[in-house]
Amino acid sequence: MKAILLTTLLAAPPACSVLTAKPKDVKPARPNIIWIMADDLGYGDISCYGAKRIQTPNIDRVARQGIRFTDMHACASTSTPSRYGILTGEYPFCHPGTDVAAGNAASIIWPQQFTLADAMKRAGYRTAALGKWHLGLGSRTGEQDWNKRLDVSLDSLGFDYSYIMAATADRVPCVFIEQGVIANYDPSAPVEVSYRKNFEGEPTGASHPELLTKLRPSHGHDMSIVNGISRIGFMKGGGKALWRDEDIADSITSHALQFMHQTDEPFFMYLCTNDIHVPRMPHERFRGKSPMGLRGEAILSLDETVGAVTKELERLGQLKNTLIIITSDNGPVLDDGYDDQAEELAGEHRPGGPFRGGKYSAFEAGSVVPFIVSWPAQVKPGVSKALVSQVDAVRTLAAIAGADIPEGAAPHSMDMHQTWLGKSKEARPYAVKMAANHTLVLRTTEWKYIEPSNGGPMINFGPKIESGYLSKPQLYRFDAHPYEQDNQAEAYPDIVKQMQETIDALKK
Ligand code: NG6
Ligand code: CA
């Protein structure tokens, strides 16, 4: 009986090839849409999802006025592939080069691809991307001239305005890029970037540990030094354009608020915080404010960003008709390469909530993320247990904004607006996710399947996280706690077979 049900659910998944798009029922209401994307924020890291050692009152307020989802899946357990899935509606394993990107990667989304921002523009929205980008810039990897306007930037991907970090705070170049050029550019200090070799005479974390005045690496992160913190990759120059980590959140937030002021049209803002990714070095005003140290302070900083945005919406009289989404790109990690005492100070805190694993992992904590949807004018507060996926962003938000999608675009995205807006409890038939070593995972409401893989039981480059990799199939029931403890693969060979076939069809 279960096997029959699964067959129907998993029948004929859309493969990596392009599908025909159907126009959706277009909604007349046009809310502003703000997608707030935290970095590496775990399911259990905020108080509305059960955290006790940290309070996030601003995020909790948005959750109270909206819907809190308990089963939202990112497309991957790291940032680049996860964000690729949101912005294109295509699974990241169907597109080349979606692994965690270097700071000098070329644009991973091709300019001719249809993006979430393109969808919003079609609906007449003004669009902006702020903060962490991590999907490459320029037309050729490693060949960008950072001192000129980049030849491929976010205006080619549907964003009217952008103020972004090329990759992550732990990767060079350590400058903001506004409209395709370095913000606050310092002509006396031209920027050069390499991920292959250092520039002559430049100190690194490895050669000059005495210059690491703010944080020391615990693994990796021993190359160029900026603001007393060594990073991944080598850079030279930057001068007054270099960021100070303590000010990153404020820079992102102030540019976000400015953008909100500048438009009479409805707007779409893809607002990606640097919090709570490493290096965790939030503003000094948070110092000592959390028993969990810098990682806790970074969560407080994230919460403050959410508060600043909602307060500004209120002030502009726009809060009621703004759809706010708060979510994360992948699951949590404590030690992700810097000695910031995240492990030592975590205490009873469970960053992954009830789930096993964490960032990078094939286990659920890697990709089940907080997901809050608020739109006071339309959405009744509540909690939704429906299984949902971030790959649906393009078609779901397009339906809400009233945009049609061109043929072949967003091939894996489904219009789930009834569920995202709490008008229906309908779940997605399944969610597909990719772990750091490309192992694919399939979740239905009832089952979780992890395909066999070669990796060892722990993530092997530093973080103390169970990988979820095993050379045999893993099948876990998902209607009972504790999650992912009791492998049922041998007891249900038919379900294993069907789930692997679904994955294989998607990979084609
Ligand atoms: C890893 C980094 C980690 C983090 C991650 C990407 C090392 C040893 N570790 O390779 O610190 O930057 O990549 O994180 O370099 S993500 O959230 O952007 O995907
Ligand atoms: Ca991330």
Side-chain angles (χ1 to χ4, degrees):
M1 152 91 177
K2 251 157 219 141
I4 294 167
L5 197 78
L6 256 150
T7 315
T8 350
L9 286 181
L10 303 180
C16 286
S17 59
V18 159
L19 292 182
T20 312
K22 285 190 221 99
K24 296 292 168 194
D25 55 329
V26 168
K27 299 265 132 195
R30 288 159 30 104
N32 303 310
I33 300 176
I34 305 182
W35 183 293
I36 301 179
M37 183 74 146
D39 200 348
D40 297 0
L41 183 78
Y43 188 91
D45 272 331
I46 46 183
S47 39
C48 54
Y49 278 82
K52 296 274 184 287
R53 258 166 85 71
I54 186 109
Q55 293 302 312
T56 47
N58 293 302
I59 297 175
D60 294 7
R61 197 171 305 126
V62 179
R64 269 200 310 276
Q65 77 198 12
I67 304 174
R68 194 171 62 79
F69 286 81
T70 62
D71 206 10
M72 168 49 94
H73 299 261
C75 290
S77 55
T78 56
S79 156
T80 301
S82 168
R83 289 161 195 251
Y84 178 85
I86 293 168
L87 290 178
T88 66
E90 180 184 42
Y91 293 129
F93 49 87
C94 294
H95 186 83
T98 60
D99 280 320
V100 173
N104 65 349
S107 183
I108 292 164
I109 304 176
W110 301 325
Q112 66 271 29
Q113 279 182 271
F114 187 80
T115 68
L116 176 55
D118 288 324
M120 294 299 117
K121 271 179 82 92
R122 273 194 173 216
Y125 279 56
R126 209 172 127 70
T127 57
L130 292 115
K132 169 166 167 169
W133 178 238
H134 212 189
L135 284 161
L137 289 168
S139 60
R140 297 173 78 119
T141 295
E143 292 181 24
Q144 298 89 346
D145 182 347
W146 297 96
N147 304 293
K148 296 203 174 115
R149 184 172 296 276
L150 291 158
D151 62 348
V152 177
S153 182
L154 273 63
D155 55 334
S156 316
L157 305 176
F159 291 100
D160 295 315
Y161 177 71
S162 60
Y163 178 80
I164 54 164
M165 306 158 73
T168 51
D170 62 346
R171 285 175 175 75
V172 301
C174 300
V175 291
F176 277 95
I177 295 166
E178 189 169 23
Q179 303 296 77
V181 298
I182 290 180
N184 209 16
Y185 183 70
D186 185 344
S188 72
V191 171
E192 289 180 73
V193 173
S194 169
Y195 275 73
R196 279 185 292 133
K197 64 179 186 37
N198 194 16
F199 299 95
E200 222 181 296
E202 295 294 314
T204 63
S207 70
H208 289 72
E210 74 284 1
L211 298 179
L212 303 177
T213 52
K214 293 197 175 160
L215 272 180
R216 284 169 181 263
S218 57
H219 53 266
H221 303 102
D222 61 356
M223 295 167 234
S224 286
I225 302 171
V226 173
N227 189 33
I229 301 173
S230 49
R231 321 270 166 166
I232 307 172
F234 303 102
M235 82 174 285
K236 194 180 165 173
K240 67 179 169 52
L242 292 172
W243 65 51
R244 205 179 73 97
D245 300 74
E246 294 88 332
D247 297 328
I248 289 177
D250 288 341
S251 304
I252 295 172
T253 305
S254 62
H255 285 79
L257 301 192
Q258 246 174 48
F259 170 76
M260 283 158 58
H261 286 173
Q262 281 166 359
T263 173
D264 294 329
E265 300 146 295
F267 64 81
F268 166 66
M269 188 157 74
Y270 175 61
L271 174 51
C272 301
T273 67
N274 165 55
D275 295 318
I276 61 168
H277 198 277
V278 296
R280 303 178 186 115
M281 189 49 61
H283 194 270
E284 288 86 346
R285 65 180 176 274
F286 298 104
R287 214 60 80 243
K289 293 277 158 66
S290 166
M292 298 199 289
L294 289 165
R295 187 172 186 277
E297 294 171 22
I299 296 174
L300 298 178
S301 169
L302 165 70
D303 188 61
E304 196 190 79
T305 298
V306 171
V309 169
T310 50
K311 251 176 237 130
E312 195 61 14
L313 285 169
E314 227 163 0
R315 210 179 64 76
L316 295 170
Q318 297 277 333
L319 187 61
K320 276 215 160 104
N321 201 35
T322 298
L323 190 158
I324 303 174
I325 288 171
I326 303 174
T327 189
S328 178
D329 63 342
N330 53 254
V333 51
L334 295 175
D335 179 352
D336 203 16
Y338 290 96
D339 267 336
D340 59 8
Q341 291 201 290
E343 267 176 21
E344 295 85 330
L345 300 175
E348 297 296 294
H349 181 68
R350 296 285 310 270
F355 302 113
R356 198 169 167 183
K359 180 175 179 177
Y360 309 109
S361 177
F363 285 138
E364 288 297 85
S367 49
V368 180
V369 287
F371 192 67
I372 296 165
V373 178
S374 147
W375 179 10
Q378 287 283 335
V379 162
K380 282 210 220 94
V383 173
S384 173
K385 294 186 175 159
L387 180 148
V388 283
S389 165
Q390 291 183 349
V391 81
D392 295 331
V394 174
R395 284 181 189 272
T396 299
L397 297 182
I400 291 168
D404 60 342
I405 304 286
E407 287 226 348
H412 303 116
S413 192
M414 290 170 62
D415 173 6
M416 294 289 292
H417 76 269
Q418 297 284 2
T419 302
W420 285 30
L421 299 181
K423 299 188 196 310
S424 156
K425 292 187 171 139
E426 200 186 329
R428 222 181 184 275
Y430 56 80
V432 192
K433 301 97 73 77
M434 184 176 82
N437 79 343
H438 290 199
T439 298
L440 293 192
V441 171
L442 193 66
R443 256 294 309 279
T444 62
T445 299
E446 195 176 10
W447 294 101
K448 154 127 183 188
Y449 175 67
I450 308 178
E451 67 173 346
S453 111
N454 293 325
M458 298 298 288
I459 296 298
N460 64 4
F461 49 85
K464 297 186 192 74
I465 293 176
E466 289 184 294
S467 66
Y469 309 151
L470 192 70
S471 54
K472 296 187 299 190
Q474 294 173 76
L475 181 72
Y476 300 101
R477 290 205 77 106
F478 243 80
D479 43 10
H481 276 257
Y483 297 129
E484 299 182 280
Q485 295 289 347
D486 187 13
N487 188 355
Q488 302 276 316
E490 282 176 15
Y492 295 92
D494 292 352
I495 295 181
V496 167
K497 185 165 171 280
Q498 285 164 36
M499 291 185 98
Q500 184 63 52
E501 279 170 8
T502 305
I503 285 179
D504 292 341
L506 285 165
K507 279 185 191 163
K508 255 187 219 145

